[in-house]
């Protein structure tokens, strides 16, 4: 309803401006303040005041008078208020909101294919909590684009060709189980990361047997692995794949806890083995910007202080070279490519875009979401030494803390039933982590705090989740939801506010998807929860004396349940039926 409402406002306002002899290049359509009884407003009078030679309120009155809504269905009136033109809804707008069902917020199919690449953490060990923002934001972006009607695939780009994987493979083949400490968890990546850490200790001379000659021999073996991958040697590829696939198997289990699932794990060696990387190198060398300096082929990119190195003197390619081939593959298979990257990849992302542009690609098809990292109150954490906090640790702690909070609340309410505390703890705990992270603008650094994330009374995941659980409880007691409820029976301001909020959800999805900003949906859920709670306090549902009012309020609760459930679904947060 909101999107149709906005389209009607856009059409009517543009026609009114033309009738008044004003330009229509900027309509100034925006959301009015909360205390204004309108769905949309226009600030166009500010822009036109100079041209009209009149103060903004006078221009706004002229424009409002010229608005013709005779063909509109959802817009009821256009009125002047100070320098603004306010647009209020007609009754069909509210009736449409009351009829919302389980497809709430889902927009019509666009036919546009989009690949969302996210997480893509190097397969060198467990997923670290500092990188947790990537799968959480990436999964929410993919969900959001699907709700916006696009055909979305989720990809994880696997760095299986760099030096880290060569070191890992060498260490896995070099050391015995007896050389290693006990794994921190009984899962593949925790088992295998011990080899990687041991190998780095050896190469840094921290082990007794790591003599200069031994380190030199190890480096030669590692270089041979890199050369074998570059040459497409099948035996080398299989050696590396044994380690990579083992670590990935464990990482998948960790990410499934969020949950964050992927349609495809795309290995970078794919673009070495099929000749794509060699082809990219040849085309880069032919560019005017290509230079050979410091024993390497580079691109002198005018917009960057640092050159892009794309081929070493020994003939081996670099990660960015292979990523160029990867993105050309994306462009051949999808209409748009979205990549979620940490702030430390910002330079690389910029150089990649400029290089693709030099190669003749339409880089408007490439979007990048850059995020800052997640810290715990103690400060930044490191994976290299094995002393950091893993994502599994964070999720375990979240579930344990949520369980304690749920048990205290159940005890205080003297519940007679036997709720599934484990299920609630998982939904609330993991939901709290996801919501707290995704609700912030990606470029802002986050310090994760338990007290805020798990606060049932504040604007956190449990606060929003409880609205869904409350809706489910009301509907369970109500029985069947009326399908022909009369929206005219809903006259209380709190009822109308909730109808407006339900109707606005599709537009929130549309705007957030366009900007690739899922935190807008999180903001909507908090505002929606406040609106619903005001309705719940002021408007008895099952206790309504008038049957028509009762039916309409039950239908409104059903519409609210679908809305909040789908909003949480966009964010990847569970919507519990009970809490």
């Amino acid at each position: 309803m909101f999107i149709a409402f906005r389209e009607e406002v856009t059409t009517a306002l543009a026609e009114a401006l033309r009738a008044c002899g004003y330009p229509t290049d900027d309509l100034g359509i925006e959301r009015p303040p909360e205390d204004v009884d309108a769905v949309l407003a226009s600030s166009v009078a500010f822009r036109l005041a100079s041209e009209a030679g009149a103060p903004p309120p006078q221009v706004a009155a002229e424009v409002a008078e010229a608005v013709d809504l005779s063909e509109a269905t959802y817009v009821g009136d256009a009125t002047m208020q100070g320098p603004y033109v306010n647009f209020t809804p007609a009754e069909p707008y509210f009736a449409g909101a009351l009829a919302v069902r389980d497809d709430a917020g889902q927009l019509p199919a666009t036919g546009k294919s989009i690949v969302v690449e996210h997480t893509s953490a190097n397969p060198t060990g467990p997923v670290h909590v500092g990188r947790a923002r990537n799968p959480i934001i990436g999964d929410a972006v993919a969900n959001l684009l699907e709700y916006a009607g696009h055909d979305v695939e989720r990809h994880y780009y696997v760095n299986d060709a760099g030096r880290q994987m060569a070191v890992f493979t060498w260490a896995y083949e070099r050391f015995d189980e007896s050389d290693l400490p006990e794994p921190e968890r009984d899962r593949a990546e925790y088992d295998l990361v011990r080899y990687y850490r041991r190998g780095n200790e050896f190469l840094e001379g921290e082990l007794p047997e790591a003599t200069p000659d031994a380190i030199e021999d190890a480096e030669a073996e590692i270089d041979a692995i890199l050369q074998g991958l570059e040459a497409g040697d099948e035996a080398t590829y299989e050696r590396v794949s044994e380690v990579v696939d083992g670590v990935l198997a464990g990482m998948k289990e960790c990410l499934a806890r969020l949950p964050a699932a992927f349609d495809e794990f795309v290995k970078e060696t794919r673009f070495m083995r099929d000749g794509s990387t060699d082809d990219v190198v040849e085309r880069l060398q032919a560019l005017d910007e290509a230079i050979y300096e410091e024993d390497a082929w580079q691109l002198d990119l005018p917009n960057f202080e640092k050159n892009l190195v794309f081929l070493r003197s020994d003939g081996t390619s670099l990660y960015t070279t292979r990523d160029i081939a990867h993105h050309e593959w994306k462009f051949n298979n999808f209409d748009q490519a979205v990549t979620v990257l940490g702030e430390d990849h910002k330079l690389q992302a910029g150089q990649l875009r400029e290089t693709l542009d030099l190669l003749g690609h339409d880089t408007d098809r490439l979007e990048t979401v850059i995020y800052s990292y997640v810290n715990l109150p103690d400060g930044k954490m490191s994976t290299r030494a094995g002393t950091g906090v893993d994502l599994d640790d964070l999720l375990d702690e979240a579930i344990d803390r949520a369980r304690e909070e749920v048990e205290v609340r159940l005890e205080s309410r003297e519940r007679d039933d036997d709720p599934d505390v484990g299920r609630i703890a998982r939904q609330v705990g993991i939901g709290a982590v996801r919501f707290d992270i995704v609700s912030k603008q990606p470029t802002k650094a986050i310090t994760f705090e338990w007290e805020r994330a798990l606060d049932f009374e504040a604007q956190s995941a449990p606060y929003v989740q409880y609205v869904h659980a409350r809706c489910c409880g009301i509907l369970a007691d109500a029985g069947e939801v009326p399908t022909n409820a009369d929206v005219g029976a809903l006259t209380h301001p709190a009822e109308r506010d909730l109808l407006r909020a339900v109707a606005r959800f599709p537009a929130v999805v549309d705007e957030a998807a366009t900007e690739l900003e899922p935190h807008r949906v999180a903001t909507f859920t908090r505002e929606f929860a406040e609106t619903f709670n005001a309705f719940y306090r002021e408007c008895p549902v099952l206790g309504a004396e008038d049957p028509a009012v009762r039916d309409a309020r039950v239908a409104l609760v059903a519409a609210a349940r679908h809305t909040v459930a789908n909003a949480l679904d966009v964010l990847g947060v569970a919507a519990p039926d009970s809490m």
Side-chain angles (χ1 to χ4, degrees):
M1 286 70 63
F2 186 96
I3 291 176
F5 185 98
R6 186 175 60 196
E7 290 173 351
E8 290 183 356
V9 167
T10 300
T11 300
L13 183 58
E15 290 176 352
L17 291 175
R18 279 192 289 269
C20 294
Y22 295 130
T24 60
D25 53 318
D26 182 5
L27 301 180
I29 296 174
E30 58 190 52
R31 283 182 61 195
E34 294 297 329
D35 58 349
V36 174
D37 186 22
V39 174
L40 287 174
S42 171
S43 60
V44 70
F46 286 106
R47 179 176 62 83
L48 299 176
S50 177
E51 180 177 338
Q58 184 176 327
V59 177
E62 179 188 6
V63 173
E65 181 66 25
V67 171
D68 180 5
L69 297 173
S70 60
E71 299 296 323
T73 299
Y74 297 106
V75 184
D77 198 8
T79 58
M80 165 269 199
Q81 183 176 358
Y84 294 93
V85 180
N86 293 331
F87 295 88
T88 53
E91 205 65 4
Y93 179 86
F94 294 113
L98 194 64
V100 164
R101 291 296 177 259
D102 58 5
D103 62 349
Q106 295 178 359
L107 306 184
T110 64
K112 184 177 183 178
S113 62
I114 301 179
V115 57
V116 177
E117 177 200 332
H118 68 85
T119 306
S120 300
N122 290 338
T124 53
V127 181
H128 183 254
V129 71
R131 301 279 178 173
R133 206 169 186 179
N134 199 314
I136 290 173
I137 292 176
D139 190 59
V141 166
N143 294 342
L144 183 57
L145 290 170
E146 279 189 333
Y147 266 79
H150 306 305
D151 182 11
V152 178
E153 283 195 21
R154 299 158 169 81
H155 287 190
Y156 188 122
Y157 187 49
V158 183
N159 180 356
D160 65 334
R163 174 179 164 79
Q164 286 181 308
M165 297 318 304
V167 170
F168 206 151
T169 302
W170 163 80
Y172 180 67
E173 297 171 348
R174 163 69 173 76
F175 297 103
D176 296 322
E177 172 74 25
S178 59
D179 298 325
L180 309 172
E182 288 295 312
E184 297 171 10
R185 289 176 186 260
D186 183 20
R187 210 168 63 210
E189 77 272 40
Y190 288 92
D191 176 39
L192 290 169
V193 74
R194 298 176 300 158
Y195 293 93
Y196 179 66
R197 290 171 179 164
R198 188 73 169 179
N200 278 300
E201 290 172 357
F202 182 95
L203 295 173
E204 291 170 5
E206 297 175 4
L207 302 180
E209 65 270 28
T211 64
D213 287 344
I215 293 175
E216 184 178 347
D217 290 342
E219 291 288 0
E221 293 178 34
I222 292 165
D223 185 61
I225 294 172
L226 286 170
Q227 293 287 351
L229 288 174
E230 199 74 35
D233 179 66
E234 189 65 27
T236 303
Y237 173 73
E238 291 178 358
R239 289 166 62 195
V240 175
S241 292
E242 182 178 358
V243 174
V244 170
D245 293 345
V247 175
L248 278 177
M251 295 174 78
K252 290 177 187 177
E253 290 188 44
C254 173
L255 293 169
R257 300 181 66 190
L258 281 172
F262 295 88
D263 297 298
E264 189 171 353
F265 285 76
V266 181
K267 292 183 176 180
E268 64 174 326
T269 50
R270 169 179 185 165
F271 306 104
M272 302 165 69
R273 290 154 61 83
D274 68 4
S276 299
T277 302
D278 290 338
D279 179 62
V280 165
V281 168
E282 289 181 11
R283 285 182 285 130
L284 292 178
Q285 288 175 323
L287 293 174
D288 292 340
E289 292 79 6
I291 57 175
Y292 189 82
E293 284 184 359
E294 300 177 359
D295 295 326
W297 278 97
Q298 308 177 34
L299 286 184
D300 182 8
L301 301 176
N303 294 323
F304 297 90
E305 293 183 4
K306 185 177 181 181
N307 288 352
L308 172 67
V309 179
F310 63 87
L311 190 69
R312 301 183 183 93
S313 58
D314 61 4
T316 55
S317 59
L318 288 89
Y319 176 89
T320 303
T321 324
R322 301 184 286 270
D323 202 23
I324 293 168
H326 174 213
H327 276 77
E328 291 188 326
W329 172 80
K330 288 182 182 180
F331 288 158
N332 287 335
N333 290 277
F334 300 92
D335 297 322
Q336 183 179 359
V338 177
T339 310
V340 181
L341 295 170
E343 59 189 0
D344 57 335
H345 290 277
K346 194 170 183 178
L347 171 63
Q348 175 192 320
Q351 290 181 321
L352 172 69
R353 177 181 291 275
E354 187 157 328
T355 303
L356 288 168
D357 187 61
L358 290 173
L359 291 173
H361 294 286
D362 177 10
T363 51
D364 287 342
R365 296 168 59 194
L366 176 61
E367 297 281 353
T368 305
V369 178
I370 299 290
Y371 67 91
S372 186
Y373 293 114
V374 177
N375 303 314
L376 296 183
D378 291 337
K380 293 185 177 180
M381 299 157 287
S382 168
T383 52
R384 184 64 180 272
T387 58
V389 178
D390 298 319
L391 178 57
D392 281 308
D393 299 328
L394 182 69
L395 297 181
D396 287 348
E397 182 75 8
I399 294 170
D400 290 343
R401 286 175 178 259
R403 181 188 294 273
E404 292 175 5
E405 183 67 26
V406 170
E407 288 176 343
V408 167
R409 286 174 168 270
L410 289 174
E411 183 178 350
S412 66
R413 295 177 185 180
E414 298 180 353
R415 290 276 294 269
D416 295 328
D417 58 348
D418 185 21
D420 185 351
V421 175
R423 184 266 304 168
I424 297 173
R426 285 192 301 276
Q427 290 179 321
V428 171
I430 294 177
V433 171
R434 285 195 68 135
F435 190 92
D436 193 69
I437 288 175
V438 80
S439 64
K440 310 298 190 305
Q441 291 187 22
T443 53
K444 293 184 177 180
I446 292 177
T447 298
F448 186 84
E449 296 176 356
W450 292 111
E451 292 74 15
R452 180 190 64 223
L454 283 167
D455 190 340
F456 279 64
E457 307 302 330
Q459 294 184 337
S460 59
Y463 177 75
V464 178
Q465 288 173 311
Y466 195 72
V467 167
H468 184 266
R470 175 165 277 164
C471 288
C472 290
I474 293 171
L475 295 173
D477 291 338
E480 188 174 348
V481 177
T483 57
N484 58 348
D486 179 13
V487 71
L490 300 176
T491 59
H492 193 284
E495 296 168 332
R496 294 280 152 159
D497 287 345
L498 186 54
L499 283 167
R500 285 189 182 88
V502 169
R504 191 166 67 86
F505 181 42
V508 174
V509 169
D510 184 40
E511 294 161 3
T514 299
E515 300 299 327
L516 298 178
E517 293 183 342
H519 68 270
R520 295 190 183 204
V521 179
T523 300
F524 169 80
T525 64
R526 290 193 294 250
E527 294 172 351
F528 189 89
E530 290 181 345
T531 303
F532 178 85
N533 288 335
F535 159 80
Y536 180 79
R537 287 192 303 269
E538 299 177 29
C539 303
V541 179
L542 303 181
E545 296 181 2
D546 186 331
V549 173
R550 181 188 185 278
D551 285 352
R553 287 179 178 173
V554 169
L556 180 53
V557 170
R561 180 177 75 85
H562 291 306
T563 299
V564 74
N566 286 5
L568 288 172
D569 187 50
V570 169
L571 303 175
V573 175
D577 293 340
S578 61
M579 286 176 65

